[in-house]
Amino acid sequence: TADTKAVVHLACVASGGSEQDFDLGYRVNVDGLVEALERCRSACAAPPKFVFTSSLAVFGARAHADDASSTEPQNSYGAQKAIGELLVHDYSRKGFVDGRTVRLPTISVRPGAPNAAASGFASGILREPLSGEPSVCPMPPETPLWLASPNSALRSMLHALDVDASAFEGGYRCVNAPGITCTVAEMMAGLERHGGDPGLVTFQPDPAVAARWPRGDGVLLDASR
């Protein structure tokens, strides 16, 4: 509507789903974003703040990255999110929206049932065993993960919504959200400390997931900006 002041765009087909259904992924993750941006352009009396949630998937298997690192997606979801970043930046450059993109880490622990996200195991290996249910991990124990809790991700989005546009002047309107790096093995140790049974987690390597996963150790993403 004309008086809309802010939009937070969260809708997407997750990584596994967009890889399995190429057409659906692009319809939702790219065409759907364009429709939202065009609606802001045509209907809003003044450019609204527009928060877009991107993903570390834009970096593919890169070992380390900061806000200025080039995007090298290794799956359709990462490519669609990288396209989305460019769209939000360009619509902002043209003055149609006041855009700001937040690249979220893998969210753990996600509530509810597992979804089609390739990174869903990062929640499942904790959530299911804590409920006495088995879970499958497609990555080896030494795999590093860049993680944020749902509350941390929410704080990042609220901060992006609140920050003044001048913070993005002269630069790309995209930032890496804060997170922590830990390995699957460290998550298993935490699970046991909190009463879960690591024996309920079965390690079944999936080369398709491993080929697209960051290969570094230490801090995977620099979110200092």
Side-chain angles (χ1 to χ4, degrees):
T1 60
D3 61 349
T4 296
K5 300 295 190 296
V7 175
V8 179
H9 186 81
L10 302 175
C12 76
V13 175
S15 51
S18 59
E19 188 70 12
Q20 293 164 10
D21 193 331
F22 182 86
D23 293 332
L24 178 64
Y26 272 88
R27 278 202 310 273
V28 174
N29 296 346
V30 177
D31 296 345
L33 172 60
V34 170
E35 288 187 21
L37 290 166
E38 280 295 308
R39 182 65 178 169
C40 291
R41 177 186 177 189
S42 63
C44 297
K49 290 183 177 180
F50 191 98
V51 175
F52 173 62
T53 52
S54 186
S55 165
L56 57 81
V58 300
F59 295 122
R62 179 190 286 274
H64 303 283
D66 58 26
D67 292 340
S69 297
S70 62
T71 55
E72 301 174 6
Q74 300 294 309
N75 59 14
S76 294
Y77 178 73
Q80 292 152 12
K81 286 297 187 180
I83 291 168
E85 293 180 3
L86 289 168
L87 285 167
V88 172
H89 181 78
D90 202 38
Y91 272 72
S92 299
R93 182 185 65 84
K94 296 293 288 185
F96 302 143
V97 298
D98 175 9
R100 49 283 308 276
T101 293
V102 181
R103 292 186 184 122
L104 295 176
T106 296
I107 307 303
S108 181
V109 175
R110 299 172 183 164
N115 62 17
S119 60
F121 73 88
S123 291
I125 61 175
L126 299 178
R127 182 184 57 228
E128 271 64 77
L130 285 171
S131 298
E133 300 293 332
S135 182
V136 174
C137 183
M139 302 293 286
E142 65 271 17
T143 302
L145 306 177
W146 179 248
L147 301 176
S149 69
N151 284 341
S152 176
L154 178 59
R155 286 194 298 270
S156 294
M157 288 185 283
L158 291 174
H159 181 65
L161 192 62
D162 184 61
V163 71
D164 192 82
S166 62
F168 298 99
E169 285 182 3
Y172 194 41
R173 286 176 165 260
C174 187
V175 294
N176 299 331
I180 61 170
T181 300
C182 67
T183 65
V184 171
E186 290 171 329
M187 295 174 73
M188 292 295 92
L191 171 65
E192 188 169 24
R193 286 197 302 272
H194 289 275
D197 180 6
L200 289 171
V201 178
T202 301
F203 288 88
Q204 295 180 359
D206 185 337
V209 175
R212 300 189 295 269
W213 206 263
R215 292 182 292 267
D217 52 13
V219 176
L220 297 177
L221 295 185
D222 178 359
S224 58
R225 181 183 174 199

